[in-house]
Amino acid sequence: MNRYISRQIIGLFFVSLIGLVLFTSLTLAVQLSDLILTKSETFRTVFKLLALKVPAFLGFALPIALVVSTFIILARLINDQEILAFQLGGYSLKRITFPIVIIGLLVSLAGFGVNNYLVPWANLEYRREIYRITRDNPLPRIQSDLFFKDPSGRIIYVGQYNEAENRIEDVLIFNSGGLNLPGLDTPENFPELLTSQSGSLTEQGWTLTGGKVVGLDKSGEVRYSMKFDELRISVSSALQNLAFGSRKTNEMGVRDLRTKASAADRAGKAAAKLKFAFHSRFSQSLAALVFVLFSVSLSLLLRHRSKAVGILLALLSVGGYQGVLLWAKSSARQGVLQPAIGAWLPDIIFGTLGLTLFLLLDRTGLRSIRSRLNIKSRD
């Protein structure tokens, strides 16, 4: 029984996975085709860019392909009365779910490996390749949600960048050797952290508003803290270009995200974004297991026999998960939800629903109700 169900699920899973990756790749290929016309790039460059995006497509498609294959295969097994045959052979519905849940666990582990190791590297290489293509143009300016490092060793984070108004928001500047800001009598080179709500970019530097400076001692404890209404810092125009020693949150693994989040813990929304990204690496990788528990339990309870219904249920499940995730992400960035809660909220909701439905399997009362409904439908 285990091998039979596993072969059915795995076969359709790979077909669905390949189809989803090809579909998203073709969509991107249409967008990248402009490079051939405007930048005189070759097809080889386009294929390289597509290949660098495959890990991101793969990480996104893994749980979706699994939930689609689960709903469809169970619909076929129910329609062919194979589930009933397993039950007559002594297998409970909960026991039938066992091999599918194991597959969900393995896919979740594979998803974590892809999202934490392949995707960050591929995203960084993709950005570098795009820069190489446009290197004859001015360097890209500061982008939103980006870390970069200046020659003096300062680590600078920009949460939002409005190119039209040349303004920045959620700024964080950290230097382990001290910021050496004018007006601060700090002869010791203790680590200093500067945070600012917003600022404007000029040729002379950055004018930051609504912020504070925190000085730390050698043990990491706060030595002093001061607020400022407006502060101008010297940042060369070269630093207003993208430095490839820097990485966006989608170009960092969990270790780097945890380190950056700890350093930015006092930076308000900037820290919230990093913490959300850190927890999302785990929660979104676990989505495959959550989807399997939910989809297999729902299918066995509803006993639907139509593959079309299975596809519809899969789309509704994925859409509901993504909807909750988008709302939770927005709420976490606005401070309504804690970053950890926001990142795990979709898994908590669908995991709770899936576990509840799983516990309802093999209930005598449900079987009798379902039998009466089947008899009435036949009459």
Side-chain angles (χ1 to χ4, degrees):
M1 189 272 293
N2 290 339
R3 291 183 179 179
Y4 178 76
I5 294 181
S6 297
R7 284 198 300 267
Q8 299 295 315
I9 296 290
I10 292 174
L12 185 56
F13 165 72
F14 280 110
V15 172
S16 302
L17 183 63
I18 294 172
L20 286 170
V21 172
L22 285 177
F23 176 77
T24 50
S25 298
L26 289 175
T27 303
L28 179 61
V30 174
Q31 300 174 3
L32 293 177
S33 62
D34 291 340
L35 294 176
I36 301 176
L37 299 176
T38 60
K39 299 295 181 181
S40 299
E41 292 294 328
T42 63
F43 284 102
R44 180 180 179 181
T45 300
V46 174
F47 287 142
K48 181 179 180 180
L49 291 173
L50 285 174
L52 289 173
K53 277 299 181 181
V54 166
F57 296 154
L58 189 63
F60 175 77
L62 280 171
I64 298 177
L66 184 59
V67 70
V68 169
S69 60
T70 300
F71 273 119
I72 293 178
I73 291 299
L74 286 178
R76 187 189 65 78
L77 294 177
I78 293 171
N79 184 63
D80 296 343
Q81 296 188 343
E82 294 183 61
I83 295 295
L84 179 60
F86 289 136
Q87 288 181 283
L88 293 176
Y91 292 100
S92 66
L93 291 178
K94 292 179 180 177
R95 177 64 182 81
I96 293 173
T97 65
F98 179 75
I100 308 177
V101 172
I102 294 299
I103 294 174
L105 178 60
L106 294 177
V107 173
S108 291
L109 292 175
F112 178 77
V114 170
N115 290 325
N116 188 56
Y117 298 103
L118 286 180
V119 172
W121 169 82
N123 284 339
L124 181 61
E125 292 300 317
Y126 180 88
R127 188 158 60 93
R128 284 175 171 170
E129 186 66 17
I130 291 294
Y131 167 69
R132 183 195 64 78
I133 295 172
T134 59
R135 67 182 182 272
D136 293 334
N137 299 325
L139 288 173
R141 297 177 180 175
I142 293 174
Q143 301 180 22
S144 298
D145 196 19
L146 177 68
F147 276 98
F148 59 95
K149 194 173 185 179
D150 70 356
S152 63
R154 294 182 299 184
I155 298 176
I156 302 176
Y157 173 84
V158 177
Q160 295 291 333
Y161 173 53
N162 188 326
E163 184 176 5
E165 300 179 3
N166 218 25
R167 291 189 59 81
I168 51 179
E169 296 180 4
D170 298 331
V171 181
L172 164 68
I173 302 177
F174 175 78
N175 192 350
S176 59
L179 297 173
N180 298 321
L181 297 175
L184 293 180
D185 185 16
T186 56
E188 303 92 343
N189 290 327
F190 288 151
E192 289 179 320
L193 177 70
L194 180 149
T195 64
S196 173
Q197 296 178 357
S198 61
S200 59
L201 278 60
T202 65
E203 294 182 357
Q204 291 74 29
W206 295 4
T207 302
L208 305 177
T209 58
K212 64 179 179 180
V213 178
V214 178
L216 309 175
D217 59 21
K218 295 181 179 179
S219 62
E221 299 295 330
V222 176
R223 186 170 179 267
Y224 62 86
S225 177
M226 59 177 292
K227 296 182 179 181
F228 62 85
D229 295 326
E230 182 176 302
L231 180 66
R232 176 171 293 179
I233 62 173
S234 175
V235 180
S236 66
S237 59
L239 286 179
Q240 298 182 28
N241 300 317
L242 183 60
F244 284 113
S246 62
R247 295 195 178 193
K248 292 185 176 183
T249 53
N250 65 350
E251 297 166 353
M252 291 187 285
V254 292
R255 182 178 298 178
D256 291 333
L257 286 170
R258 182 176 58 186
T259 301
K260 301 295 185 183
S262 298
D265 197 33
R266 302 179 185 275
K269 291 183 180 180
K273 293 175 184 178
L274 290 166
K275 290 179 180 179
F276 186 91
F278 171 77
H279 288 283
S280 292
R281 290 297 167 83
F282 296 98
S283 62
Q284 293 182 25
S285 298
L286 197 64
L289 179 60
V290 172
F291 274 144
V292 159
L293 183 62
F294 174 77
S295 60
V296 69
S297 301
L298 183 61
S299 293
L300 293 177
L301 283 175
L302 294 179
R303 293 293 181 117
H304 66 89
R305 301 185 177 190
S306 171
K307 295 180 180 179
V309 173
I311 295 175
L312 178 61
L313 290 174
L315 294 177
L316 290 175
S317 301
V318 173
Y321 185 95
Q322 290 296 326
V324 174
L325 179 62
L326 290 175
W327 177 84
K329 184 176 182 179
S330 176
S331 299
R333 289 192 171 186
Q334 294 174 7
V336 177
L337 291 177
Q338 291 293 326
I341 296 176
W344 286 100
L345 187 60
D347 285 355
I348 293 173
I349 293 176
F350 281 84
T352 302
L353 288 174
L355 182 60
T356 302
L357 296 175
F358 176 79
L359 295 176
L360 291 175
L361 295 175
D362 300 312
R363 292 292 182 93
T364 304
L366 287 174
R367 288 201 303 267
S368 62
I369 293 173
R370 192 161 49 225
S371 299
R372 288 196 295 269
L373 290 175
N374 290 334
I375 292 174
K376 290 180 180 180
S377 63
R378 290 174 183 175
D379 294 340

